[in-house]
Amino acid sequence: MGDLSLRDRLTGIVGPTLARRVIALLDEEALTPCRDTDCVRIRSHSRLGFHLWRHPVGAPIVRGLLGRKCFNCGQYAWRRIHRAGPAS
């Protein structure tokens, strides 16, 4: 099944009509720039690519060289991904 394209796999699962609609939706989302306030990325990217959501710091799993690390993502607790997003 790995040899089939995404279109062929979707067509086999949901049928040709729904497969066309899903692929059209994915194409539209790939072209739409991300404007999510909880996204950490600074540079422009699509809604489907390179998206990182902010989240609260989880319980630290290890003490790293530069401080505590988040249980959820493994990054240091002081990184931008853990800060509150801009107020809307």
Side-chain angles (χ1 to χ4, degrees):
M1 189 151 192
D3 298 315
L4 297 175
S5 68
L6 177 62
R7 183 179 304 277
D8 293 337
R9 291 187 304 193
L10 276 173
T11 302
I13 295 170
V14 298
T17 305
L18 283 176
R20 276 194 304 273
R21 291 174 63 191
V22 167
I23 290 173
L25 178 69
L26 290 174
D27 288 341
E28 179 183 325
E29 288 294 313
L31 296 175
T32 304
C34 174
R35 297 200 192 321
D36 190 351
T37 58
D38 281 343
C39 184
V40 178
R41 297 280 181 195
I42 296 172
R43 294 182 186 254
S44 176
H45 64 279
S46 71
R47 285 184 184 171
L48 293 180
F50 304 112
H51 198 77
L52 285 177
W53 283 277
R54 295 180 192 274
H55 63 272
V57 178
I61 50 175
V62 291
R63 273 197 76 69
L65 184 62
L66 302 175
R68 299 178 306 146
K69 288 190 173 183
C70 176
F71 179 77
N72 297 328
C73 67
Q75 295 187 18
Y76 287 103
W78 49 263
R79 300 265 323 238
R80 286 183 51 237
I81 195 167
H82 303 115
R83 290 188 211 149
S88 303

